Amino acid sequence: MTTIPDPSSLVRPARRRRHARLIAALASLIGACAEAAGEVYGPVAAAPPEQEAVGISVLGCVRVARSAPVLLDLARDEDAARWPGEVVREDAASRRTYAARCALAEAQDVLGGPGPGGGPVPVPTAEQSAAMELVSAGDDVAACWRDDPQEAAALVLELTAGGELGVDEVLDAAVDAEVVCGLLVLDRAGTAAMSDPGTAAERCLAAAAYFARAVALASADLD
C-alpha cells in the first residue's frame, strides 16, 4: 500500500504561509480598528460646522476590543492545524535552543558565582533565565523594528549566531510582543469608549499600528 506523505511535513513553508491565518486575522483587526475610529470621527467630519452636538457610535471600539483576543487565538490554532509537520519541527528546534540557553545560563552561574544574595528577590534559575532570554530578545527586536526593520533583521541574526536562539522563534517572540501591546492598547480603547470616545478612537488606531508591525514580523523570512 502506497502512502502519500503530508506535504506540510516535507516542505518548509515561507513564514507568511506558516502564519497565514494569523496574518489574515491581524489584517482584519487593522480594518476593524480603522472602521471603529471612523465611526467616531466620521459623523463629526460630516456634521455642519455650526452643529454643536454630533451623534457618534462607540460600539465598534467596544466590539473590536472584546473580539480581538479570541480571533487571534483561533487563527493561531488554525495555522497549527494546517501545518502539523512544521509544528513538530518548531517544537524540536525550540527544545534544542532552550537546552542550549539553560546550559549557557548554568555555565554563567558557575563562572559568576551565586549572584547578589541576601536580598528579597531570588536569583532566577537556569530554566527561568532561558525563558526570559527569548522574551527579551523578542521585545528587543520588536522595539528595533519600529524604527528600522533592516537594523532589526541584523539584530535577529546577531542574537541567533550562537545557537541559543533560533531565527524563527525570535521573530515569533517579536510578533507576540507586538500583538500583546496591540491588545493592551485595544483593551484600553474599549474601557474608554463610553466616557471618552475620542481617546477610544485614537487607541484603536494605535493598536492597528502594533498589529501592522506584527504582520510584517510574521511575514519576515531571514534565513
Side-chain angles (χ1 to χ4, degrees):
M1 179 178 177
T2 302
T3 301
I4 299 175
D6 178 4
S8 67
S9 67
L10 300 178
V11 180
R12 183 178 177 187
R15 281 179 55 80
R16 63 169 44 88
R17 290 202 67 196
R18 168 66 181 90
H19 299 299
R21 296 293 175 88
L22 175 62
I23 291 170
L26 288 166
S28 175
L29 283 176
I30 292 169
C33 286
E35 184 177 353
E39 291 175 359
V40 174
Y41 294 131
V44 176
E50 66 276 8
Q51 182 177 337
E52 294 184 2
V54 178
I56 60 174
S57 173
V58 295
L59 292 179
C61 297
V62 175
R63 184 165 52 246
V64 69
R66 291 180 178 176
S67 64
V70 176
L71 179 65
L72 295 179
D73 282 344
L74 179 61
R76 290 181 186 276
D77 290 343
E78 290 176 345
D79 276 330
R82 279 159 54 90
W83 298 99
E86 188 66 7
V87 171
V88 171
R89 187 199 68 79
E90 289 169 350
D91 287 345
S94 178
R95 284 193 295 272
R96 287 194 298 271
T97 55
Y98 178 74
R101 292 197 302 277
C102 286
L104 180 61
E106 289 170 352
Q108 290 173 339
D109 285 345
V110 170
L111 293 175
V121 180
V123 177
T125 65
E127 292 78 9
Q128 290 170 332
S129 295
M132 291 163 58
E133 185 177 352
L134 177 57
V135 173
S136 177
D139 289 345
D140 290 344
V141 170
C144 186
W145 195 281
R146 295 165 199 167
D147 296 326
D148 189 336
Q150 290 187 339
E151 183 178 342
L155 176 60
V156 173
L157 298 179
E158 177 184 337
L159 290 169
T160 58
E164 293 86 16
L165 292 164
V167 170
D168 283 341
E169 68 180 348
V170 171
L171 287 172
D172 288 347
V175 172
D176 290 343
E178 292 294 83
V179 166
V180 168
C181 286
L183 289 176
L184 289 174
V185 173
L186 204 52
D187 181 68
R188 297 190 187 107
T191 301
M194 301 308 296
S195 60
D196 191 346
T199 295
E202 292 168 7
R203 288 175 177 169
C204 281
L205 295 176
Y210 283 108
F211 295 148
R213 285 190 292 268
V215 168
L217 286 160
S219 303
D221 272 308
L222 304 184
D223 57 354

